[in-house]
């Protein structure tokens, strides 16, 4: 399954915020210990002109002293389509990179993804540093009952 997270890290409609919010108004994704909360719309394709199929809801914490790794706890919450009401739960440490894909474990799920196991890769396919908007492609291999 391939899905696309549309992340807005700035502006009035931000879908990712720092906890607590930065005093400067600028998010720092490489500061050790920085925590973020996210609620990104997820689409089947790269373009956002269709109805979102899910939301990427969760938290991540910059867990490496040099800021290159983050610990992620993410729920893919399906809101439309044949998986509506189901979730896929993703957890793990991943490398923050604009160059190559990173990987995290699928550790569970609900509804149609009950007892899910597998892995998800994450690759940034588009990033605008001025607006803070990025699109991340995730390929998920899921085994479930």
């Amino acid at each position: 399954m391939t899905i696309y997270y549309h992340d807005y890290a700035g502006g009035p409609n931000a879908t990712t915020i720092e906890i607590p919010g930065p005093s400067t108004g600028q998010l720092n994704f490489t500061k050790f210990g920085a925590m973020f909360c996210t609620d990104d719309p997820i689409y089947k394709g790269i373009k956002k002109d269709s109805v979102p199929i899910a939301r990427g809801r969760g938290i991540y914490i910059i867990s490496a002293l040099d800021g290159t790794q983050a610990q992620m706890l993410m729920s893919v919450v399906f809101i439309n389509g044949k998986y509506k009401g189901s979730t896929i739960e993703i957890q793990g440490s991943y490398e923050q990179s604009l160059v190559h894909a990173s990987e995290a474990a699928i550790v569970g799920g609900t509804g149609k993804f009950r007892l899910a196991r597998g892995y998800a890769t994450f690759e940034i396919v588009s990033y605008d540093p001025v607006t803070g908007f990025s699109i991340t492609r995730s390929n998920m291999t899921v085994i479930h009952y």
Side-chain angles (χ1 to χ4, degrees):
M1 175 185 308
T2 301
I3 58 176
Y4 293 85
Y5 293 77
H6 287 227
D7 182 60
Y8 300 85
N13 297 316
T15 60
T16 296
I17 61 165
E18 191 170 351
I19 308 166
S23 60
T24 63
Q26 298 293 318
L27 300 180
N28 187 345
F29 292 103
T30 59
K31 179 184 171 201
F32 176 67
M35 296 186 300
F36 300 90
C37 184
T38 188
D39 185 6
D40 293 336
I42 295 174
Y43 298 86
K44 275 187 176 181
I46 200 164
K47 295 185 179 181
K48 62 180 180 179
D49 57 357
S50 62
V51 175
I53 60 165
R55 302 293 298 196
R57 295 182 173 145
I59 59 172
Y60 52 99
I61 301 165
I62 308 308
S63 56
L65 287 172
D66 65 0
T68 60
Q69 299 273 325
Q71 184 70 27
M72 174 192 343
L73 300 167
M74 177 71 65
S75 297
V76 176
V77 181
F78 289 90
I79 58 172
N80 288 308
K82 64 182 177 180
Y83 302 125
K84 183 177 181 177
S86 299
T87 67
I88 293 175
E89 303 301 323
I90 302 169
Q91 177 181 337
S93 182
Y94 72 96
E95 183 177 357
Q96 300 192 104
S97 174
L98 295 174
V99 179
H100 56 81
S102 35
E103 186 176 302
I106 294 174
V107 297
T110 63
K112 295 191 179 191
F113 296 105
R114 197 170 287 141
L115 299 174
R117 294 289 180 267
Y119 67 95
T121 61
F122 299 90
E123 180 180 15
I124 296 172
V125 294
S126 175
Y127 175 65
D128 182 345
V130 174
T131 64
F133 177 68
S134 66
I135 298 174
T136 301
R137 177 177 42 238
S138 178
N139 292 307
M140 298 188 295
T141 300
V142 184
I143 300 169
H144 62 94
Y145 292 96

